[in-house]
Amino acid sequence: MPSRTLPPPPPPVYLRTWPDRQTLLTDRGMALEELHRRHLGVGRLLLLWLYGLGGSVGWALLVQPLQMLADRDSSGFLLGPVLGALGLAVLAPSVIGVVYAVRYDRRIRHLSAAWLALDHHPASDARLRSPALSLLWLLSSLAVCTLGLWASFAAAAYAEPGRDTYADVVQGMGVGLIVWLTGLLGAAKAVGHYRWAVRMLAPAPTPATP
């Protein structure tokens, strides 16, 4: 899971002790850079893929007892409960991790909005747009989505009667769905960051001259 430690929110107005604007901008820039790294860093992308991998492995283990029953494998009565419990043990942390990561990102957005509201400094705020990093999230996530869709449809479309059991199809489609959802989460985050940058980092309007 992502680290719990985040930069604190800016102090309320009556507790602010910045001696000048430059000091405020320095603290503001450091907080925003750290929040940006926690939100859109490559490590978060790899962590999302790790959750997807854990979910796929957990689902495969959960379906394994069904495959043993379909194959009339007598060892399934002994190994089935063990594999089912192991599958839940692998799947549950991945699901919890994804839910926590979504809430973590929401907290980062709220903190970023609070720090941005302190002042407006286009020169430093422009770095927060990170178009290359956002594009990396988007393209890699779309590739993962494509892989997941292909796996799901292939499991259903190319199942051979008499050879592939119902459990085989369920396993293939389930793994493909988990991979697709993993990519969808990444793509949604990239699009969300782009919309946030357009909305929050837009240049301040210049005052009209009389």
Side-chain angles (χ1 to χ4, degrees):
M1 292 184 182
S3 173
R4 293 177 178 272
T5 306
L6 286 173
V13 177
Y14 60 87
L15 290 179
R16 294 174 185 174
T17 58
W18 287 293
D20 50 41
R21 182 171 182 263
Q22 185 57 45
T23 305
L24 183 150
L25 289 177
T26 299
D27 289 348
R28 174 181 177 274
M30 292 174 59
L32 288 172
E33 284 287 343
E34 179 64 15
L35 290 169
H36 176 68
R37 184 183 67 83
R38 298 291 185 92
H39 178 66
L40 210 67
V42 176
R44 291 296 305 276
L45 179 61
L46 296 178
L47 184 62
L48 177 62
W49 291 352
L50 182 62
Y51 289 150
L53 177 62
S56 300
V57 173
W59 179 260
L61 289 173
L62 277 176
V63 178
Q64 195 63 33
L66 294 178
Q67 290 180 318
M68 290 182 172
L69 291 177
D71 295 337
R72 292 182 171 82
D73 188 349
S74 59
S75 62
F77 293 100
L78 295 176
L79 295 179
V82 176
L83 292 173
L86 186 59
L88 284 176
V90 176
L91 180 62
S94 298
V95 175
I96 294 173
V98 169
V99 173
Y100 176 81
V102 171
R103 297 178 62 183
Y104 185 81
D105 286 340
R106 190 176 303 160
R107 174 64 175 163
I108 289 177
R109 289 288 179 83
H110 290 162
L111 288 173
S112 298
W115 280 102
L116 283 169
L118 285 179
D119 207 324
H120 191 75
H121 193 244
S124 60
D125 293 348
R127 296 194 300 267
L128 303 177
R129 297 179 184 272
S130 298
L133 194 56
S134 182
L135 188 62
L136 171 65
W137 271 81
L138 180 62
L139 295 181
S140 61
S141 297
L142 290 178
V144 172
C145 282
T146 303
L147 178 63
L149 287 176
W150 176 83
S152 296
F153 285 116
Y158 298 106
E160 299 181 11
R163 180 178 178 183
D164 295 327
T165 62
Y166 174 76
D168 294 323
V169 176
V170 170
Q171 178 176 338
M173 292 189 66
V175 170
L177 178 61
I178 292 172
V179 173
W180 176 75
L181 287 175
T182 301
L184 186 63
L185 286 172
K189 185 169 180 175
V191 173
H193 174 75
Y194 171 78
R195 295 178 61 186
W196 174 84
V198 169
R199 184 178 69 254
M200 301 296 294
L201 304 179
T206 56
T209 56

